[in-house]
């Protein structure tokens, strides 16, 4: 039976969990609303949109397996001294909602994109490589060459790889255009809040409740996601508030496909 302190920590953990879920979930809406009202995705990187959808889908798979699939939970306990993983329902709820909103943003991009807005060859090749790896892992699991934790870690690695790279095209596009117009800064502010709260919950669950830092390392998908998100959010905020203040005018700027040519409509 839990004592008063443990009950208070559990309650605080749940509060932090739902607070970060709310912040991260709300962070998708400013961009979706802007795209809809402007009938445009100009200022939003094509590569960012595609990578974002793939990344959140992989994170959904990661959380679903760790939270609901018994063989994965059992395998995790065997490799972590009998401890359960610290993925909670709010992690699953966030990843499900994030995947849906990322797909809506992708649909908006496909509808509103201009002729010079194209996903780069490098990203296309990377996504093809990820699909090939997924097929290979499925075959290897069937032949019992890998276990379920390998599959889970692959989803986590893909999500972290996407998080590590998806903001780079957006940062580059902002730099080339000398503007952040078209990219909703509210997304970044809410994302930063969500990342900070997510890390706080992870440390609280692992260190205070379980008494071990292994829970932090064991949920390195959540750990890496929080750290990387906060780092890139800081870079985007620096561009928006320091390098390219929003009050500046936004004349025709270089496009994604050819930085020497102005944007053109289809």
């Amino acid at each position: 039976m839990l004592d008063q302190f443990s009950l208070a920590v559990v309650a605080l953990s749940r509060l932090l969990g739902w607070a970060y879920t709310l912040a991260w979930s709300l962070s998708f809406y400013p961009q979706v609303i802007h795209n809809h009202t402007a009938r445009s995705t100009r200022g939003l990187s094509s590569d960012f949109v595609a990578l974002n959808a793939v990344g959140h889908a992989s994170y959904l798979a990661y959380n679903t397996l760790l939270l609901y699939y018994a063989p994965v939970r059992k395998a995790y306990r065997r490799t972590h001294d009998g401890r359960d993983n610290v993925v909670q329902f709010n992690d699953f709820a966030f990843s499900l909602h994030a995947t849906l909103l990322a797909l809506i943003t992708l649909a908006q991009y496909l509808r509103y994109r201009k002729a010079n807005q194209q996903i780069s060859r490098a990203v296309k090749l990377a996504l093809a490589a990820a699909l090939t790896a997924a097929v290979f892992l499925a075959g290897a699991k069937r032949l019992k060459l890998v276990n379920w934790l390998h599959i889970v870690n692959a989803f986590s690695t893909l999500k972290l790889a996407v998080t590590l790279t998806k903001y780079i095209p957006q940062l580059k596009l902002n730099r080339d255009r000398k503007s952040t117009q078209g990219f909703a800064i509210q997304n970044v502010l809410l994302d930063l809040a969500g990342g900070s709260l997510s890390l706080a919950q992870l440390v609280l669950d692992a260190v205070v409740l379980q008494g071990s830092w292994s829970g932090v390392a064991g949920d390195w998908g959540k750990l890496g996601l929080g750290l990387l998100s906060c780092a890139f959010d800081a870079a985007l905020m620096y561009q928006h508030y320091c390098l390219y203040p929003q009050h500046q005018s936004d004349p025709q700027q270089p496009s994604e496909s050819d930085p020497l040519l102005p944007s053109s409509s289809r």
Side-chain angles (χ1 to χ4, degrees):
M1 186 174 179
L2 296 177
D3 57 27
Q4 295 260 350
F5 175 74
S6 297
L7 287 173
V9 173
V10 169
L12 178 58
S13 172
R14 290 177 179 173
L15 178 62
L16 288 172
W18 285 108
Y20 102 71
T21 301
L22 179 63
W24 265 352
S25 297
L26 290 176
S27 72
F28 289 88
Y29 287 94
Q31 191 67 58
V32 170
I33 293 171
H34 172 82
N35 295 344
H36 176 72
T37 55
R39 294 292 192 273
S40 170
T41 56
R42 183 170 182 266
L44 188 61
S45 167
S46 305
D47 289 346
F48 171 83
V49 174
L51 290 170
N52 201 38
V54 172
H56 284 300
S58 65
Y59 191 49
L60 173 61
Y62 170 83
N63 283 323
T64 302
L65 289 172
L66 278 176
L67 189 62
Y68 292 117
Y69 195 53
V72 173
R73 293 172 63 86
K74 186 182 297 184
Y76 184 95
R77 284 193 293 269
R78 281 199 305 267
T79 58
H80 289 82
D81 299 322
R83 295 187 181 91
D84 276 319
N85 70 81
V86 292
V87 173
Q88 297 189 18
F89 175 73
N90 62 271
D91 298 314
F92 167 77
F94 161 73
S95 56
L96 176 61
H97 177 269
T99 301
L100 292 174
L101 268 293
L103 290 174
I104 290 174
T105 305
L106 177 60
Q108 289 180 319
Y109 160 76
L110 294 174
R111 180 178 180 183
Y112 300 134
R113 66 177 175 175
K114 304 299 182 184
N116 57 6
Q117 288 181 290
Q118 299 292 333
I119 297 173
S120 69
R121 180 178 297 180
V123 169
K124 290 178 180 177
L125 290 174
L127 295 180
L131 179 60
T132 302
V135 173
F136 171 79
L137 279 174
K141 178 64 178 71
R142 187 174 181 83
L143 296 173
K144 298 184 178 179
L145 299 176
V146 297
N147 59 37
W148 275 111
L149 284 186
H150 292 125
I151 304 293
V152 169
N153 287 334
F155 281 122
S156 175
T157 300
L158 176 59
K159 172 57 180 171
L160 290 178
V162 167
T163 303
L164 181 62
T165 57
K166 71 177 182 179
Y167 291 107
I168 295 174
Q170 187 63 56
L171 288 165
K172 181 180 181 299
L173 180 63
N174 294 345
R175 184 202 65 187
D176 292 344
R177 298 174 65 238
K178 299 293 188 292
S179 172
T180 59
Q181 290 191 15
F183 183 74
I185 193 61
Q186 295 87 347
N187 288 17
V188 174
L189 300 176
L190 288 165
D191 190 64
L192 179 62
S196 302
L197 292 168
S198 173
L199 291 172
Q201 185 199 37
L202 178 60
V203 172
L204 187 69
D205 288 347
V207 179
V208 180
L209 286 180
Q210 294 188 353
S212 172
W213 283 94
S214 68
V216 177
D219 194 6
W220 67 295
K222 185 174 180 178
L223 175 64
L225 177 61
L227 290 174
L228 288 173
S229 294
C230 290
F232 279 110
D233 288 338
L236 288 164
M237 289 170 62
Y238 178 70
Q239 281 189 325
H240 180 82
Y241 291 110
C242 299
L243 294 181
Y244 318 122
Q246 193 74 356
H247 66 267
Q248 292 180 1
S249 61
D250 183 27
Q252 292 283 34
Q253 297 290 344
S255 71
E256 294 179 73
S257 57
D258 188 345
L260 299 178
L261 298 176
S263 299
S264 59
S265 301
R266 279 198 284 185

